[in-house]
Amino acid sequence: MNADTLIKNANDELSLLSRLVVDRATMREGNEKLTLVIDEEGARLLTMERVRQEIECAVKKAYGLEIVYERAS
């Protein structure tokens, strides 16, 4: 799974800001969870509740997975 696939499958669910976060993130799937490894800009955008909710809803709807965020080092 990658950002392009998620954006394509959940296009109607994601605003421009949410797409920006997803596009910049690295994704890992495991244990029925999707981990988004986000950079500083993505972390800043995730402080907006709407952006966080859109991404979580899109991942749940498209893949049935919980989402976990991790900061890139």
Side-chain angles (χ1 to χ4, degrees), residues 2-69:
N2 62 35
D4 292 334
T5 303
L6 177 56
I7 290 170
K8 180 181 174 189
N9 290 341
N11 189 37
D12 296 337
E13 306 289 324
L14 298 172
S15 67
L16 185 59
L17 290 176
S18 297
R19 288 180 204 170
L20 181 63
V21 172
V22 170
D23 191 48
R24 296 169 60 104
T26 303
M27 299 182 191
R28 288 192 315 262
E29 186 179 344
N31 298 327
E32 297 183 21
K33 294 184 181 183
L34 178 66
T35 302
L36 257 64
V37 181
I38 56 172
D39 61 9
E40 187 175 327
E41 181 67 19
R44 188 182 67 77
L45 291 170
L46 282 173
T47 63
M48 292 185 270
E49 188 64 27
R50 180 181 59 97
V51 171
R52 183 183 296 269
Q53 287 176 345
E54 287 176 0
I55 294 170
E56 290 171 3
C57 181
V59 169
K60 188 70 161 177
K61 186 175 181 180
Y63 302 108
L65 298 172
E66 299 288 326
I67 192 160
V68 177
Y69 302 99

